[in-house]
Amino acid sequence: MLQIGIIGAGRIGKVHTQSIVNYVRAAKVAAIADPFLSDETAQWAQNLGVGRVTKDYRSILNDPSIDAVLICSSTDTHAQISLEAIAAGKHIFCEKPIDHDVERIQQVLDALEKAPRLKYMVGFNRRFDHNFRAVRRAVEDGRIGKAEVIKVTSRDPEPPSAEYAARSGGIFLDMTIHDFDMVRYLSGSEVEEVYVLPGVLVDPAIGEAGDFDTAVISLKLKSGALAVIDNCRRCAYGYDQRAEVFGSLGAAMCGNDSESSAQVWSGGGTTGEKPLFFFLERYMQAYATEVTEFIEAVRNDTPVPVTARDGLAAVLIGIAATESAKTGRPVKINPLQIPPSEV
Amino acid sequence: MLQIGIIGAGRIGKVHTQSIVNYVRAAKVAAIADPFLSDETAQWAQNLGVGRVTKDYRSILNDPSIDAVLICSSTDTHAQISLEAIAAGKHIFCEKPIDHDVERIQQVLDALEKAPRLKYMVGFNRRFDHNFRAVRRAVEDGRIGKAEVIKVTSRDPEPPSAEYAARSGGIFLDMTIHDFDMVRYLSGSEVEEVYVLPGVLVDPAIGEAGDFDTAVISLKLKSGALAVIDNCRRCAYGYDQRAEVFGSLGAAMCGNDSESSAQVWSGGGTTGEKPLFFFLERYMQAYATEVTEFIEAVRNDTPVPVTARDGLAAVLIGIAATESAKTGRPVKINPLQIPPSEV
Amino acid sequence: MLQIGIIGAGRIGKVHTQSIVNYVRAAKVAAIADPFLSDETAQWAQNLGVGRVTKDYRSILNDPSIDAVLICSSTDTHAQISLEAIAAGKHIFCEKPIDHDVERIQQVLDALEKAPRLKYMVGFNRRFDHNFRAVRRAVEDGRIGKAEVIKVTSRDPEPPSAEYAARSGGIFLDMTIHDFDMVRYLSGSEVEEVYVLPGVLVDPAIGEAGDFDTAVISLKLKSGALAVIDNCRRCAYGYDQRAEVFGSLGAAMCGNDSESSAQVWSGGGTTGEKPLFFFLERYMQAYATEVTEFIEAVRNDTPVPVTARDGLAAVLIGIAATESAKTGRPVKINPLQIPPSEV
Amino acid sequence: MLQIGIIGAGRIGKVHTQSIVNYVRAAKVAAIADPFLSDETAQWAQNLGVGRVTKDYRSILNDPSIDAVLICSSTDTHAQISLEAIAAGKHIFCEKPIDHDVERIQQVLDALEKAPRLKYMVGFNRRFDHNFRAVRRAVEDGRIGKAEVIKVTSRDPEPPSAEYAARSGGIFLDMTIHDFDMVRYLSGSEVEEVYVLPGVLVDPAIGEAGDFDTAVISLKLKSGALAVIDNCRRCAYGYDQRAEVFGSLGAAMCGNDSESSAQVWSGGGTTGEKPLFFFLERYMQAYATEVTEFIEAVRNDTPVPVTARDGLAAVLIGIAATESAKTGRPVKINPLQIPPSEV
């Protein structure tokens, strides 16, 4: 049985822990590390049968019985812990983004190149969502012909605080990064250029913090296809996560999930339920699939479904988008400094 | 150009007149007769270019320049005017039902047998609705295999007065008769037996008048298929007209029409428009298609799409349903006394 | 922690075991009994951390550390094991139906009356489905006014063998029993009379075995409402499980679930995914909710959501339906011999 | 009764003629002019009761009995005929665009300023479509709060020939101009800046002719809202015409129309009908409403629903979009040279 260490026991670390405990028979969460470990979290871990809890992630990295780690700590620690975990010979699942700094991501990629035996997967959870996967499958199966226009709608139900926005790396590296990855996933193509139409329409404080809360983002793809993402940090009807791929033979698209298919028809119209509230509701199953596939890749020594290179590519687009939003001009994506590979 | 006489200038007579004027280039409404002809109606007819208005329908029947008549007068006059029109050698479109009395309908059928040159069509307008036609087409094309279960939902937005109910022949001959025809149309089969679960849930006065306002009606079909109709005289969200045919390879079904496809998504859910209000809204186009196809059948000497025999069959089911509702027992349909033919 | 014994380790026994292991922190599956216990099942149980597996369910009933049992054995053993479990002072969750014989069910009810401390819940899993619950909630919240017509569509993807049909108690006690319970659940009313239009349209061998494979079932409810169920043992597009409640202010309805919301639009039309295949796919979450609520009722000493009386009521309707199908007449439901209570 | 002259008896001239004949009692098509008048068209006009057909539109302008003209001739004649018709004192309905040249449009606006009694309406037919109107109404009624993001999808079923593309003024003035107007209509705001991501993905010959066949167009609005249009000249499933307005309280959106609401559910999924084929199918009713509202505005001396200024505004955006597509840079819209007014 694969022995797993969880580094970071915040919201997403807990989600992954529970996914493994509930769904993944082939792996065991042997240890959890969190510098801010509370009694409550320790109790929660014990109830799930996790043998060891610690404030020091290095004690996990130094434990030779641990096969793989999930890095769920704060973003600014991802690259550093990744490097240490690679040095310790652990397989790694790292929450997105690897870092906001391209050079530091590059260091991780360089380290990985020297450790070809290790698996390194980045947590773009939406690639494991049943709806987006079904769209991707329709594209791959040729049901819509050649992909020409990709459209992604991505709206969060509630804006973060301006404080969060200020230290998040900005909307494009914090929120849109998922959508950049989705465009790459659905199109099977790299992105060449990005143009952003940004707005501060929800919370002026976010604008004062130097960030945006609304955006329409155009992307020119290497394949010749065009893409557009629209984002908003606030959505009155919940988490709006939709995509459409238009091609030469048709279009594939997916909608939101809601709690039930129930409708009420009355004098006021025909009313269905609004979408699920936020990512924990919408993507709970996707998180479980994601971590399951990571563990399968480790166990079977097969390629991980989302690579470090995918993690870098999305950050590069995010950086270009940030520049576009600030300059008002289209910006070319820095071509990857690593050998080309599959998206 | 075919010369048409309209007998009865009530609501439906006016609808047919306007359909011919607007859509049917090959026919002309030459005359309109209505015993209660008002100045307003006369003015309306004149504006539409109708040459002659009269209180006496016989003046239309006696006019040798008239090729065909549309009988849109009150139900109790349909059979009598039909007989006279047949005698006068006119082609006939008769609103449903031909009569509530089987013997009188039989007289019309007998007269028609002796006038094989004449076209006689009954106005089951729903057969010309785009939605039901598409379902029928899917069944005919074999897309769902052999039809096994037919389901018809038919709800009126507002109940009639108890007075109307009392003289309407009862809900099964007044309202459900359309649904009986729909079951025959969608299944391509005759009905053998009917069982009614009746209710007075909307207006006690309708019950006191000896009628019902709600019903679930089970039908055993000659083909072996089963059918169910549910009716209500009141529906808070408008005219509810849906059908489903379930078969060995799948199911075909249709929904309501609404004013637009617009949806509003908000904190209260995702809301679409309610169905169109009533038959004039939902079936306006079906009425035009219906009268157009009658005129085409006359002009090209081809079979009419809804025959007098269809008119009789639906009445026979309505009579059996009325008996079932009153006795609480399943009732066999009186087999048609005329040679078998296509549904 | 509540100690649970599972009696019967077939498909549904395994589903419940896994639900408890995965989702119910407050309970532990301490033992599993199955007379046909295989090595494979024993291994499966061990992997889930179940301490004890046995061929003798009595060893579970005799174990004073066991608080509650789930009876998931074959239908003909439900009543006997229920009686023994009551005598042993265990709380009981019993799969539907308690028995096909009313007298034996009555014995269970009698025994329960003398053991008022014990919880007894019947496994009508569909009451725990997100879609049907949302419809029920809309009805309870008064959003559609007074319920007048309840419609349930229930179609299985694939027919059972004729052998199974022959010993199943017949379609009405084996399959429709769920739909009878659904009508009671959605309407909040008892059923007074039933009329069945039965058919053998799928497999003649089922007919030769004395059973039916297709049916339209009309139900007269005590509340005055009307209901209709349509059943088929075969459905080309998967498990079709829908319901609609029509009332004085509107209608509430629910549809099927599918694997994703993805659609493909092409020259052939706009295509979505078919419904999930069968009950294990559609109701997996409902099973988990069901067993969770049973355990909550035991722990908190609150009423169970589905009572033995509910189990009896559905069987009484099934028996009357069977008689109606065989005689071709409407049949009154045997009024319950126990004090009236909530549906 | 208003006397109407039709100038240009091509496809759209015929559509308007028939709309007036069929639906508009208050107006009469008194004359039709077309320089390429065929016998067939003359016969068609006669059948509709049009008194006079001519090859010379000036004979209509010189006829004092004519109250209003519909300019349905080729685009390059719109401005010239408009100027002559204004001089002749006729009310004018002019198909879009007034011209591709801003100066010539300005001449028309200048002439109109000196003839304040005359109505001048531009034929942006989509504003009269039931779906877009319902979305606009939801926005106006405040149901979605302040409009923040407007999305328009507009795809034609089949591409024009490269020859047509070459002389069409380009996709942005020929096709997207409707969508520019739609953004203005739905948002109630002027457009400040446009950025185009163009593609030649359908037909290389269109690219060789200097035009594009696919585009994603971002628009910055004066209100602060953002908008995006995606266009393609070819769509395998028909005419794709959808819009969405996202706002602070929710979103309003509309979909396509199809021939019926019928669905077929089978082993291959759940399939509905594809959208209506092209503009004549989708917008037939909108064309009738459009011309009816023009005639009402003339008769009642009320403002026309689409002004010459609206016509100019859309052309200005189209010109900026063309420049953006060619330079790869965002381009500011030339602010209107006329006094501000309602959108």
Side-chain angles (χ1 to χ4, degrees), chain D:
Chain D
M1 184 133 49
L2 213 67
Q3 303 295 310
I4 307 285
I6 307 284
I7 296 174
R11 197 164 46 176
I12 199 65
K14 282 182 174 140
V15 165
H16 290 317
T17 302
Q18 267 177 309
S19 292
I20 295 171
V21 169
N22 286 345
Y23 302 115
V24 189
R25 298 279 157 243
K28 188 177 160 52
V29 177
I32 292 180
D34 192 303
F36 310 107
L37 191 73
S38 66
D39 287 354
E40 194 185 7
T41 297
Q43 183 60 50
W44 165 86
Q46 191 185 331
N47 289 346
L48 288 176
V50 176
R52 183 153 48 105
V53 294
T54 169
K55 295 197 172 184
D56 178 16
Y57 72 85
R58 289 196 176 97
S59 79
I60 288 182
L61 297 183
N62 294 334
D63 181 345
S65 74
I66 298 287
D67 301 297
V69 294
L70 276 58
I71 304 177
C72 310
S73 49
S74 62
T75 294
D76 57 351
T77 68
H78 289 180
Q80 176 61 29
I81 300 178
S82 290
L83 290 170
E84 293 183 36
I86 294 166
K90 307 302 185 197
H91 301 289
I92 298 162
F93 172 96
C94 183
E95 272 305 317
K96 67 91 210 171
I98 301 177
D99 203 284
H100 292 157
D101 183 274
V102 174
E103 205 172 321
R104 287 170 67 83
I105 303 174
Q106 195 61 56
Q107 288 169 4
V108 174
L109 269 77
D110 291 346
L112 284 170
E113 240 183 318
K114 290 166 200 150
R117 194 191 57 80
L118 293 185
K119 304 294 173 191
Y120 191 96
M121 174 163 157
V122 175
F124 283 124
N125 56 293
R126 298 182 193 175
R127 291 194 182 209
F128 305 87
D129 173 66
H130 58 144
N131 293 335
F132 294 119
R133 279 209 156 172
V135 172
R136 172 66 185 146
R137 204 158 40 230
V139 175
E140 282 181 322
D141 292 352
R143 294 181 66 190
I144 63 157
K146 189 166 161 31
E148 294 171 348
V149 180
I150 293 94
K151 296 166 69 178
V152 173
T153 292
S154 176
R155 297 164 183 160
D156 285 354
E158 292 173 348
S161 65
E163 292 71 39
Y164 176 89
R167 58 183 164 74
S168 70
I171 185 171
F172 306 108
L173 282 164
D174 182 60
M175 176 180 176
T176 324
I177 192 167
H178 279 292
D179 307 307
F180 294 138
D181 185 65
M182 185 53 61
V183 167
R184 294 179 72 247
Y185 174 62
L186 293 178
S187 68
S189 171
E190 294 297 343
V191 174
E192 285 191 339
E193 193 174 285
V194 60
Y195 172 76
V196 176
L197 208 55
V200 180
L201 304 178
V202 175
D203 183 357
I206 288 177
E208 284 154 25
D211 199 6
F212 307 97
D213 53 35
T214 311
V216 167
I217 302 142
S218 305
L219 301 151
K220 189 192 275 182
L221 272 59
K222 205 173 161 188
S223 68
L226 315 175
V228 61
I229 297 163
D230 71 281
N231 281 153
C232 188
R233 284 284 203 181
R234 176 262 300 121
C235 183
Y237 49 85
Y239 197 39
D240 195 353
Q241 298 276 296
R242 293 175 282 157
E244 178 179 320
V245 184
F246 173 75
S248 50
L249 300 178
M253 62 200 70
C254 65
N256 294 303
D257 287 344
S258 56
E259 268 190 42
S260 86
S261 66
Q263 292 214 330
V264 173
W265 295 7
S266 68
T270 60
T271 300
E273 297 193 14
K274 61 187 173 184
L276 293 173
F277 178 65
F278 211 170
F279 62 94
L280 287 182
E281 290 80 14
R282 163 72 183 260
Y283 292 123
M284 192 49 79
Q285 187 58 49
Y287 285 121
T289 304
E290 174 184 65
V291 86
T292 301
E293 296 198 8
F294 167 66
I295 288 167
E296 287 308 298
V298 171
R299 290 182 67 225
N300 304 326
D301 195 13
T302 50
V304 292
V306 196
T307 64
R309 195 178 162 282
D310 291 320
L312 173 57
V315 168
L316 289 172
I317 307 170
I319 289 169
T322 306
E323 186 186 333
S324 175
K326 294 194 168 157
T327 63
R329 290 201 316 267
V331 174
K332 289 208 185 307
I333 312 303
N334 184 2
L336 301 183
Q337 301 300 318
I338 51 171
S341 94
E342 298 301 306
V343 167

Side-chain angles (χ1 to χ4, degrees), chain B residues 185-248:
Chain B
Y185 173 63
L186 293 178
S187 68
S189 171
E190 293 297 342
V191 175
E192 284 192 338
E193 195 173 284
V194 60
Y195 172 75
V196 175
L197 207 56
V200 180
L201 304 178
V202 175
D203 183 357
I206 287 177
E208 283 154 26
D211 199 7
F212 307 98
D213 54 33
T214 311
V216 167
I217 301 144
S218 305
L219 301 152
K220 189 193 275 182
L221 271 60
K222 205 174 161 188
S223 67
L226 314 174
V228 62
I229 297 163
D230 72 280
N231 281 152
C232 189
R233 285 284 203 181
R234 176 263 298 121
C235 183
Y237 49 86
Y239 198 38
D240 195 356
Q241 299 276 296
R242 292 175 283 157
E244 178 179 321
V245 184
F246 174 75
S248 51

Side-chain angles (χ1 to χ4, degrees), chain A residues 26-325:
Chain A
K28 187 177 161 52
V29 178
I32 293 180
D34 193 302
F36 310 106
L37 191 74
S38 66
D39 287 354
E40 194 186 7
T41 297
Q43 182 61 47
W44 165 86
Q46 191 185 330
N47 289 347
L48 288 177
V50 176
R52 183 152 49 105
V53 294
T54 168
K55 294 199 173 183
D56 178 15
Y57 72 86
R58 291 198 176 96
S59 78
I60 288 181
L61 297 184
N62 294 334
D63 180 346
S65 74
I66 296 288
D67 300 297
V69 294
L70 275 59
I71 304 177
C72 310
S73 49
S74 62
T75 293
D76 56 353
T77 68
H78 288 179
Q80 176 61 29
I81 300 178
S82 289
L83 290 171
E84 293 183 37
I86 293 167
K90 308 301 185 198
H91 300 290
I92 298 162
F93 172 94
C94 182
E95 273 305 318
K96 69 90 211 172
I98 302 177
D99 203 284
H100 292 156
D101 183 276
V102 174
E103 205 173 322
R104 288 171 66 83
I105 303 175
Q106 195 60 56
Q107 287 168 4
V108 173
L109 268 77
D110 291 345
L112 284 170
E113 241 182 318
K114 291 166 199 149
R117 195 191 57 79
L118 293 186
K119 304 294 172 191
Y120 191 97
M121 176 165 157
V122 174
F124 282 125
N125 57 294
R126 297 182 193 175
R127 290 195 183 208
F128 304 88
D129 174 66
H130 59 145
N131 292 336
F132 294 119
R133 279 209 156 172
V135 171
R136 172 65 185 146
R137 204 158 40 230
V139 174
E140 281 181 322
D141 292 353
R143 295 180 67 190
I144 64 157
K146 189 166 161 32
E148 294 171 347
V149 179
I150 294 93
K151 296 166 68 179
V152 174
T153 292
S154 177
R155 296 163 184 161
D156 286 352
E158 292 173 349
S161 64
E163 292 71 36
Y164 176 89
R167 58 182 164 73
S168 70
I171 185 171
F172 306 109
L173 283 164
D174 182 60
M175 175 180 178
T176 325
I177 192 166
H178 279 292
D179 307 308
F180 294 138
D181 185 65
M182 185 53 61
V183 168
R184 292 179 73 247
Y185 173 63
L186 293 178
S187 68
S189 171
E190 294 297 343
V191 174
E192 286 191 338
E193 193 173 285
V194 59
Y195 173 75
V196 175
L197 208 55
V200 180
L201 305 178
V202 175
D203 182 358
I206 288 177
E208 285 154 25
D211 198 8
F212 307 96
D213 53 35
T214 311
V216 166
I217 302 142
S218 305
L219 302 151
K220 188 192 276 183
L221 272 60
K222 204 173 161 188
S223 68
L226 315 175
V228 63
I229 297 163
D230 70 280
N231 282 152
C232 189
R233 286 283 202 182
R234 177 260 299 120
C235 183
Y237 49 86
Y239 197 39
D240 195 354
Q241 298 276 297
R242 292 174 283 157
E244 179 179 320
V245 184
F246 174 75
S248 51
L249 299 179
M253 62 201 69
C254 65
N256 294 303
D257 288 343
S258 56
E259 268 190 42
S260 86
S261 67
Q263 291 214 331
V264 172
W265 294 7
S266 68
T270 61
T271 301
E273 297 193 14
K274 61 186 172 185
L276 293 173
F277 178 65
F278 211 170
F279 62 95
L280 287 182
E281 290 79 14
R282 163 71 183 261
Y283 292 123
M284 192 49 79
Q285 187 58 50
Y287 286 121
T289 304
E290 175 186 65
V291 86
T292 300
E293 296 199 8
F294 167 66
I295 287 167
E296 286 309 297
V298 170
R299 289 183 67 226
N300 304 325
D301 194 13
T302 49
V304 292
V306 196
T307 65
R309 194 178 163 284
D310 291 321
L312 173 58
V315 168
L316 289 172
I317 307 171
I319 290 169
T322 306
E323 186 185 332
S324 176

Side-chain angles (χ1 to χ4, degrees), chain C residues 155-158 234-241 274-278, chain D residues 266-267:
Chain C
R155 296 163 184 161
D156 286 354
E158 293 174 348
R234 176 264 297 120
C235 183
Y237 49 86
Y239 198 39
D240 196 354
Q241 299 275 297
K274 61 185 172 187
L276 293 173
F277 179 64
F278 211 169
Chain D
S266 68

